[in-house]
């Protein structure tokens, strides 16, 4: 039951974001390239004002600013997340414990060798990566747990890996920020 609800929430979030993005893109294409797109929410908003009036130009200018800002911020945040993830991954590999990484991957028969063990005293276990998620364990965690406990942690993190949870979490954290700009627009233009 919870699985269906989760898929529904993620699908609905992506659908709403896709509609908003396509509407914003269609509006900008209309403004900058003169392409007449009939079904556009933003065109409808400024059609409520008399063409050539001060309000009309204020609305169009504000729409262009808000939409351009939203798109630029979205692209900036995606690029920023990509760069931060890449830098973090590089730092993790600087702390790689080669022998324990090989041993853990062999012990748990990980065909893709997708478990990375890093030298750290703190007990750490997490899944990282969007396209090809991998599992990270610390040497402190491995020393702390017995085999059965470690196996449970491997299975837990493998579930996150299989479901691409790092990507899903990023999308679900990012969508409200992006959509809040759109909701701000709707609230103040009603």
């Amino acid at each position: 039951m919870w699985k269906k609800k989760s898929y529904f929430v993620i699908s609905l979030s992506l659908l709403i974001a896709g509609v908003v993005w396509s509407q914003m893109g269609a509006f900008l294409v209309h403004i900058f390239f003169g392409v007449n797109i009939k079904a556009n929410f933003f065109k409808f908003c400024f059609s409520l004002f008399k063409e050539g009036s001060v309000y009309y130009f204020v609305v169009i200018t504000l729409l262009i600013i808000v939409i351009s800002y939203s798109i630029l911020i979205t692209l900036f945040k995606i690029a920023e997340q990509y760069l931060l993830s890449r830098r973090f991954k590089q730092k993790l590999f600087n702390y790689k414990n080669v022998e324990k990484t090989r041993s853990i991957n062999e012990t748990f028969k990980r065909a893709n060798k997708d478990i990375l063990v890093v030298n750290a005293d703190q007990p750490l276990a997490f899944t990282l990566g969007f396209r090809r998620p991998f599992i990270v364990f610390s040497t402190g965690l491995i020393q702390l747990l017995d085999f059965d406990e470690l196996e449970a942690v491997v299975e837990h993190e493998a579930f996150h890996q299989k479901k691409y949870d790092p990507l899903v979490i990023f999308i679900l954290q990012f969508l409200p920020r992006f959509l809040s700009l759109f909701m701000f627009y709707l609230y103040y233009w009603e």
Side-chain angles (χ1 to χ4, degrees):
M1 181 70 171
W2 64 268
K3 191 174 181 179
K4 288 181 182 179
K5 287 181 183 178
S6 296
Y7 285 133
F8 176 74
V9 168
I10 291 169
S11 299
L12 184 61
S13 299
L14 290 173
L15 177 67
I16 291 169
V19 167
V20 171
W21 263 81
S22 65
Q23 289 292 302
M24 289 187 341
F27 175 75
L28 290 179
V29 165
H30 170 73
I31 293 296
F32 292 125
F33 302 110
V35 176
N36 189 14
I37 300 171
K38 293 186 192 293
N40 189 277
F41 175 77
F42 297 102
K43 274 178 45 180
F44 170 74
C45 288
F46 67 78
S47 73
L48 298 174
F49 299 93
K50 184 178 176 188
E51 196 168 334
S53 70
V54 173
Y55 293 121
Y56 180 82
F57 289 111
V58 168
V59 169
I60 287 180
T61 303
L62 288 175
L63 272 175
I64 291 170
I65 290 169
V66 168
I67 291 172
S68 298
Y69 176 78
S70 298
I71 290 173
L72 289 174
I73 287 297
T74 300
L75 296 175
F76 174 78
K77 288 295 183 186
I78 290 171
E80 179 184 47
Q81 184 63 40
Y82 172 76
L83 294 173
L84 289 172
S85 295
R86 208 170 150 184
R87 191 178 317 151
F88 183 58
K89 186 177 175 182
Q90 289 171 344
K91 284 185 179 186
L92 282 175
F93 276 93
N94 288 338
Y95 292 100
K96 180 179 181 178
N97 185 314
V98 176
E99 181 55 37
K100 289 218 185 250
T101 297
R102 184 193 56 74
S103 173
I104 291 292
N105 279 297
E106 287 176 3
T107 300
F108 293 102
K109 298 173 180 53
R110 304 298 293 187
N112 295 330
K113 309 281 188 245
D114 54 0
I115 297 177
L116 170 68
V117 178
V118 295
N119 292 317
D121 294 333
Q122 301 86 358
L124 301 172
F126 55 91
T127 303
L128 179 70
F130 293 155
R131 287 185 311 148
R132 284 173 278 172
F134 62 97
I135 299 168
V136 179
F137 292 146
S138 66
T139 53
L141 178 79
I142 293 170
Q143 291 170 353
L144 183 67
L145 303 177
D146 65 27
F147 179 82
D148 291 335
E149 293 168 329
L150 189 58
E151 184 177 35
V153 175
V154 169
E155 291 301 318
H156 175 87
E157 292 303 325
F159 180 81
H160 289 304
Q161 181 185 35
K162 180 181 174 188
K163 298 296 182 182
Y164 289 89
D165 282 349
L167 177 62
V168 170
I169 289 169
F170 171 71
I171 290 170
L172 290 178
Q173 288 176 343
F174 180 73
L175 284 177
R177 288 184 207 151
F178 168 70
L179 292 176
S180 65
L181 290 171
F182 179 69
M183 295 313 218
F184 172 82
Y185 164 78
L186 287 178
Y187 179 77
Y188 284 101
W189 288 101
E190 283 187 342

